[in-house]
Amino acid sequence: MVIPVDVVIMAAGKGTRMKSALPKVLHQLAGRALLAHVTDCAARLSARQAVVITGHGAAQVEAACQGMVQEQGGAESGIRLQFARQEPQLGTGHAVQQALPLLADDGITLVLSGDVPLTRVATLQALVDACDGQRLALLTLSMADPSGYGRIVRAGEQPSAQVRAIVEHKDASDAQRAIREIYSGIMAVPTRLLRGWLGRLDNQNAQKEYYLTDIVKFAVADGVAVVAHRITDAAQVAGVNSPVQLAELERVYQRQQATALMEQGVRLADPARFDVRGTLVCGQDVEIDVNCVFDGKVVLGDGVCIGANCCIANATIAAGAVIHPFTHIDGEKLGVQVGEGSLIGPFARLRPGAQLGAEVHIGNFVEVKNATLAKGAKANHLAYLGDATVGERVNYGAGSITANYDGANKHRTVIEADVHIGSNCVLVAPVTIGVGCTVGGGSTITKDTPPGSLSVARGRQVSIANWRRPVKNKAGK
Ligand code: UD1
Ligand code: MG
């Protein structure tokens, strides 16, 4: 029988060393709150629920959590979240006490911290398995410099000797401080036993706090087995206390993403200059140059090439497309689609609802928003296409724009197939440029143009013969 797991996430602490008005657990790693990484992990563990202990900035943290659950697609795909407030904060044992009314005795309580974002699901599953509803299971590791951490005190020298207690650094003797095995801050404990042990805590210690770690000695006294599940990868249990540590863990996380993609065959010019803040799915023979940032959900088809310094969010880029350097793509909620073999950039901007067919060319300083461009359409220089439908093989001249906004409402521009729009045109929407039309450079088009026509809408040229330019007055006159 599978024993249900209830996750308790401690997130009441102040995070003084962040020196920030934002509660620590809401600081972002890879574009998401630290706490979201932890609730995500709980969800992937198929935990029954997560109880978040809030204190400092409680209302803000709770509101942000609700948002995260919605982002995950609601309770079905995410996890049931509950909150327990801890005010004031009297220690980690006191924190878990606040969750007790929300925990059922048939389960295992898995204690996590909202500021420890990189724990692997498999590690937590192994810890839960070690607990098995009967033992107190501690996640531990050996550190070259264990200072500041709770030490794992064992009955003997052997690594397998019985665990007797966790002693906090500030309470430890010199001999205990020499112990290099530390408690990670993560434990799995049968809830029915936890309830009894938490009732026995006191704060007679160096920090005058109710230490969760004191339950180890109660387990030993009660004859309950205490098992240490040792890991060697410190990043999995590393917490964020300062901007420096946040940046360090960001790099660890990004290196993991980069390595995983390279193992799938993606060629990264430099894995140290590559950031994924969401999910990036790549086909075969994808190449990504330096300093690219991928946000939200991005899919790159076979053979896609991304130049240096591109920011790409919520977009699907089909096979063989080339995104030249310094291109900014953000699909937000509507998404952006780039068709097969398209050439985008350098310095292009694709905004929500840009849907480009195959072999579309979007050049430098061209902005596309909520517009569909059919196969082979080109807008190569300094242009704006907003709220537009553009047919096949259209050539959209330099400096031309769709005037889609009348100050109150947005309107659509339709440019049918094989149209040639000259340079510096203004297409005042709503307007339709008929199939095969030509629009002369510098035209302001306010009326539909019949198929196959040439439209020129600008002042006629006047040339005055033998024109003499004014000359400068002589000095003193
Ligand atoms: C704790 C452990 C220590 C372990 C270390 C690993 C205890 C007594 N000690 O120490 O053995 O080696 O973690 O990092 O548990 N929190 C609350 N309410 C409180 C106090 C803390 O929510 O009243 C939260 C903090 O915000 C933080 C987490 O609990 O997320 C851990 O608290 P912290 O004070 O950092 O624990 P340490 O003293 O480092
Ligand atoms: Mg502390």
Side-chain angles (χ1 to χ4, degrees):
M1 204 194 80
V2 180
I3 305 165
V5 175
D6 297 315
V7 173
V8 172
I9 303 173
M10 293 188 287
K14 186 156 183 215
T16 313
R17 280 185 282 156
M18 289 304 292
K19 300 186 180 169
S20 166
L22 188 69
K24 177 166 72 172
V25 293
L26 298 185
H27 280 268
Q28 297 205 332
L29 182 130
R32 302 172 64 222
L34 292 170
L35 186 53
H37 289 267
V38 183
T39 56
D40 221 44
C41 198
R44 281 184 288 138
L45 195 69
S46 303
R48 172 164 64 182
Q49 62 167 341
V51 180
V52 182
I53 312 293
T54 58
H56 280 281
Q60 204 181 344
V61 172
E62 289 163 15
C65 277
Q66 306 293 7
M68 291 169 205
V69 169
Q70 273 156 21
E71 245 170 60
Q72 285 174 353
E76 316 88 64
S77 58
I79 185 166
R80 191 162 85 103
L81 278 188
Q82 300 208 75
F83 301 97
R85 294 228 178 154
Q86 187 200 17
E87 275 155 355
Q89 288 83 43
L90 302 179
T92 52
H94 179 251
V96 178
Q97 275 171 357
Q98 311 313 306
L100 281 178
L102 301 173
L103 303 176
D105 279 348
D106 63 338
I108 291 174
T109 297
L110 175 65
V111 178
L112 305 176
S113 290
D115 57 0
V116 178
L118 299 187
T119 320
R120 288 187 183 276
V121 177
T123 301
L124 295 179
Q125 188 60 57
L127 191 71
V128 165
D129 293 346
C131 164
D132 197 28
Q134 339 178 24
R135 293 177 282 271
L136 170 54
L138 308 171
L139 189 63
T140 74
L141 82 164
S142 288
M143 284 192 143
D145 175 12
S147 105
Y149 290 96
R151 305 301 205 280
I152 303 295
V153 177
R154 291 178 181 263
E157 297 290 301
Q158 306 298 330
S160 59
Q162 276 295 312
V163 174
R164 308 295 302 179
I166 297 174
V167 178
E168 292 305 304
H169 182 90
K170 286 184 179 147
D171 300 287
S173 64
D174 284 348
Q176 288 167 334
R177 285 185 181 181
I179 297 170
R180 302 218 332 238
E181 189 185 4
I182 62 104
Y183 168 56
S184 66
I186 296 175
M187 63 168 72
V189 43
T191 304
R192 63 178 201 287
L193 299 175
L194 175 69
R195 199 180 298 278
W197 293 333
L198 287 178
R200 284 151 69 180
L201 292 180
D202 65 45
N203 65 352
Q204 304 304 299
N205 53 53
Q207 302 186 78
K208 299 279 174 281
E209 283 182 9
Y210 294 88
Y211 290 163
L212 177 62
T213 44
D214 279 349
I215 70 169
V216 175
K217 57 188 190 210
F218 301 143
V220 171
D222 292 354
V224 174
V226 180
V227 290
H229 178 69
R230 283 185 193 236
I231 59 167
T232 52
D233 173 13
Q236 283 198 53
V237 297
V240 171
N241 294 300
S242 65
V244 169
Q245 290 172 344
L246 181 60
E248 281 168 2
L249 287 194
E250 178 79 33
R251 285 346 298 166
V252 169
Y253 178 87
Q254 294 302 346
R255 175 56 83 147
Q256 289 169 355
Q257 306 296 301
T259 302
L261 286 164
M262 289 188 295
E263 280 167 356
Q264 288 165 31
V266 175
R267 298 192 287 277
L268 299 179
D270 182 358
R273 286 179 289 169
F274 169 75
D275 288 80
V276 178
R277 301 171 189 162
T279 57
L280 175 62
V281 176
C282 292
Q284 204 175 28
D285 285 306
V286 167
E287 285 183 25
I288 300 173
D289 209 335
V290 299
N291 292 334
C292 292
V293 179
F294 298 89
D295 226 312
K297 191 168 191 318
V298 176
V299 179
L300 305 180
D302 292 349
V304 165
C305 234
I306 310 286
N309 302 299
C310 289
C311 295
I312 301 180
N314 300 306
T316 299
I317 298 175
V322 177
I323 312 296
H324 290 293
F326 295 99
T327 291
H328 187 274
I329 299 177
D330 190 354
E332 292 175 28
K333 289 201 167 67
L334 284 176
V336 163
Q337 315 274 340
V338 174
E340 272 187 38
S342 288
L343 304 178
I344 312 296
F347 297 101
R349 180 164 186 221
L350 304 183
R351 293 174 52 206
Q355 298 200 356
L356 315 185
E359 291 154 45
V360 164
H361 293 188
I362 299 294
N364 42 212
F365 308 107
V366 174
E367 174 183 352
V368 181
K369 184 217 77 168
N370 191 29
T372 305
L373 277 74
K375 184 175 179 186
K378 292 182 180 141
N380 271 326
H381 327 267
L382 300 159
Y384 176 57
L385 277 163
D387 302 304
T389 304
V390 179
E392 292 190 0
R393 297 172 300 277
V394 164
N395 195 314
Y396 193 77
S400 291
I401 66 156
T402 54
N404 56 329
Y405 185 54
D406 60 14
N409 296 299
K410 299 273 172 70
H411 302 281
R412 240 181 138 74
T413 301
V414 177
I415 305 172
E416 291 179 349
D418 297 302
V419 163
H420 185 104
I421 307 279
S423 295
N424 230 27
C425 292
V426 180
L427 309 180
V428 181
V431 71
T432 297
I433 312 297
V435 61
C437 277
T438 304
V439 175
S443 292
T444 295
I445 301 293
T446 55
K447 293 192 291 255
D448 292 356
T449 65
S453 61
L454 163 68
S455 298
V456 183
R458 60 177 187 238
R460 270 183 186 277
Q461 181 169 329
V462 177
S463 296
I464 298 171
N466 302 320
W467 176 252
R468 281 171 188 268
R469 282 183 229 144
V471 289
K472 212 169 184 146
N473 292 333
K474 292 226 171 74
K477 296 214 171 153

